[in-house]
Amino acid sequence: MKTRIYKISEDISEGEYDYIKEAADVIRKGGLVAFPTETVYGLGGNALNPESSKLIYGAKGRPSDNPLIVHISDFNEIYQLVRELPDIAGILAEKFWPGPLTMILKKSGIVPYETTGGLDTVAVRLPDNPVALALIKEAGVPIAAPSANRSGKPSPTTAQHVYEDLSGNIDIILDGGSVQIGIESTIIDLTGNVPAILRPGYINQNMLDSILGDVVRDPAIDNKVEGDIKPKAPGMMYRHYAPEGELTIVEGDISAVTDKINELIRLYDENTVGVITTTENRRRYNYGTVVCIGSRNDEITIAHNLYAVLRDMDKCKIKHIFIEGFSNEGLGDAIMNRIIKAAGHRILKV
Ligand code: AMP
Ligand code: MG
């Protein structure tokens, strides 16, 4: 299959809207379309068609017990997808939708188990991106969309990333440029007694606490998943977001961190080793491939650049990558969560 790529601007001109129509038609007929959201690019198919969901798993090479997030374009579209809608879902939607928050709810009969990875719950999100919203609206069906990368690789934040991973396996890529946030949505489970965060994201625990009072954090978020700890979000089990090279996080007092990284990188051939650093420390390294992710004080930029930087390391064929640790505050929680998973929990404290 030849993948068609269409550039679409945020204000969607009349001519560009023809591409949305073509893509919506593909979705309705059971095909796959990658599209931008404010978090990362999604790989979309008709959420109500089990065959579309199977195609998504196939294209991504994703284990089929790892459920998909269902995207809607208007709050009212949620009613058909769920068996019951707790009041807090409305409250959260009012505050954070459209936006980077995914809610887990009890699924209705029309949502196929192929879409939910066999679960009786469904993940729903109303994204904040004009191209995504136009596509869902025009398709007239909810769109199941996991991140549009090959399973296990860093999520795509540009159409080029999607093309590298999925070209030839999907019908259309809608190219809306570089995404705004750059890491996946926060996932909150509303099916238990107390709302529980299953995956940290741009909407952080403080923001949720301030609305809901009390939110718990699924212990599996912070653990290496092995033995008897099973995460409620099945996706958290898999090696994720990872570059080809071996990533190691070095954490601690920042000058000790840079000293340690400088010591470690010299153990390797200069062509095979890389450092992901910050504006503040850029000049402290002069060996191997050194990439700056942004300023330490600017978490928005760090989140935005993270996956692209990991992919850059792969392009340079770097086998050993070292990254400085970041603070866990605010958005830092989601950033560190992704980096720790990408590193397979390889953390060196100095
Ligand atoms: P992705 O779209 O690639 O960000 O992956 C979506 C993630 O959402 C999955 O890996 C799951 O961890 C999570 N998820 C989706 N549906 C459910 C559900 N019904 N219950 C718990 N987690 C879910
Ligand atoms: Mg993903």
Side-chain angles (χ1 to χ4, degrees):
M1 161 190 316
K2 176 142 173 55
T3 301
R4 287 160 277 163
I5 305 169
Y6 299 129
K7 270 205 175 7
I8 305 197
S9 56
E10 295 232 324
D11 32 290
I12 315 180
S13 69
E14 230 177 273
E16 288 167 344
Y17 203 84
D18 287 341
Y19 299 138
I20 301 272
K21 283 190 178 153
E22 186 179 328
D25 201 44
V26 163
I27 298 273
R28 275 193 305 272
K29 288 186 172 138
L32 302 184
V33 175
F35 61 95
T37 80
E38 80 280 31
T39 58
V40 300
Y41 272 75
L43 174 59
N46 178 354
L48 305 182
N49 179 351
E51 297 309 316
S52 297
S53 294
K54 285 188 201 159
L55 277 183
I56 292 175
Y57 288 111
K60 276 181 67 80
R62 176 172 181 147
S64 61
D65 62 351
N66 187 358
L68 310 175
I69 295 174
V70 177
H71 294 74
I72 55 177
S73 63
D74 183 282
F75 183 77
N76 288 317
E77 296 162 18
I78 202 172
Y79 295 104
Q80 58 176 329
L81 300 173
V82 301
R83 205 162 61 220
E84 53 195 61
L85 195 67
D87 291 342
I88 47 172
I91 295 168
L92 288 172
E94 181 78 28
K95 178 76 186 166
F96 297 116
W97 277 1
L101 182 71
T102 296
M103 302 186 211
I104 308 294
L105 297 156
K106 291 180 181 155
K107 84 169 191 72
S108 71
I110 66 163
V111 182
Y113 284 109
E114 283 78 358
T115 299
T116 67
L119 298 173
D120 277 314
T121 53
V122 59
V124 189
R125 184 164 100 83
L126 178 58
D128 186 14
N129 176 289
V131 175
L133 293 172
L135 176 67
I136 303 163
K137 197 158 268 157
E138 189 62 36
V141 291
I143 294 185
S147 50
N149 51 292
R150 286 287 296 173
S151 192
K153 295 244 287 174
S155 295
T157 55
T158 65
Q160 176 61 30
H161 296 162
V162 179
Y163 183 81
E164 287 161 9
D165 279 17
L166 301 176
S167 81
N169 292 319
I170 63 176
D171 298 282
I172 291 178
I173 300 173
L174 297 178
D175 178 356
S178 177
V179 300
Q180 193 196 339
I181 294 177
I183 53 176
E184 305 80 354
S185 59
T186 306
I187 301 181
I188 188 164
D189 181 2
L190 303 180
T191 64
N193 293 332
V194 184
I197 298 173
L198 306 187
R199 175 172 76 184
Y202 181 84
I203 310 285
N204 63 45
Q205 174 133 19
N206 289 341
M207 292 154 92
L208 292 164
D209 278 339
S210 73
I211 309 274
L212 299 178
D214 203 12
V215 180
V216 299
R217 183 180 171 93
D218 185 23
I221 292 175
D222 303 303
N223 286 312
K224 202 170 181 170
V225 179
E226 53 192 1
D228 42 5
I229 308 165
K230 277 260 178 321
K232 292 211 188 78
M236 302 294 279
M237 269 188 298
Y238 302 102
R239 182 176 132 101
H240 235 124
Y241 322 119
E244 314 262 325
E246 180 185 82
L247 179 67
T248 304
I249 305 165
V250 184
E251 264 183 1
D253 174 67
I254 199 60
S255 71
V257 165
T258 50
D259 287 349
K260 188 72 192 173
I261 292 180
N262 269 314
E263 179 192 319
L264 290 168
I265 51 183
R266 283 182 170 76
L267 299 174
Y268 301 100
D269 182 301
E270 190 164 12
N271 298 316
T272 66
V273 71
V275 181
I276 300 174
T277 182
T278 46
T279 326
E280 289 80 359
N281 296 330
R282 172 68 190 85
R283 287 186 315 163
R284 297 206 192 186
Y285 304 100
N286 49 28
Y287 185 88
T289 299
V290 182
V291 180
C292 179
I293 194 171
S295 165
R296 215 150 247 293
N297 310 317
D298 180 2
E299 283 158 348
I300 302 265
T301 302
I302 293 172
H304 184 264
N305 291 340
L306 176 62
Y307 291 136
V309 163
L310 293 177
R311 281 175 179 263
D312 286 346
M313 286 291 176
D314 283 347
K315 274 190 206 120
C316 299
K317 307 237 180 327
I318 304 301
K319 291 204 184 76
H320 307 277
I321 311 162
F322 296 92
I323 185 168
E324 300 166 2
F326 298 101
S327 137
N328 276 311
E329 293 298 305
L331 183 55
D333 182 28
I335 293 170
M336 283 310 292
N337 171 262
R338 304 310 192 272
I339 296 177
I340 289 169
K341 298 206 94 212
H345 291 258
R346 207 172 304 104
I347 307 173
L348 207 67
K349 295 200 196 294
V350 291

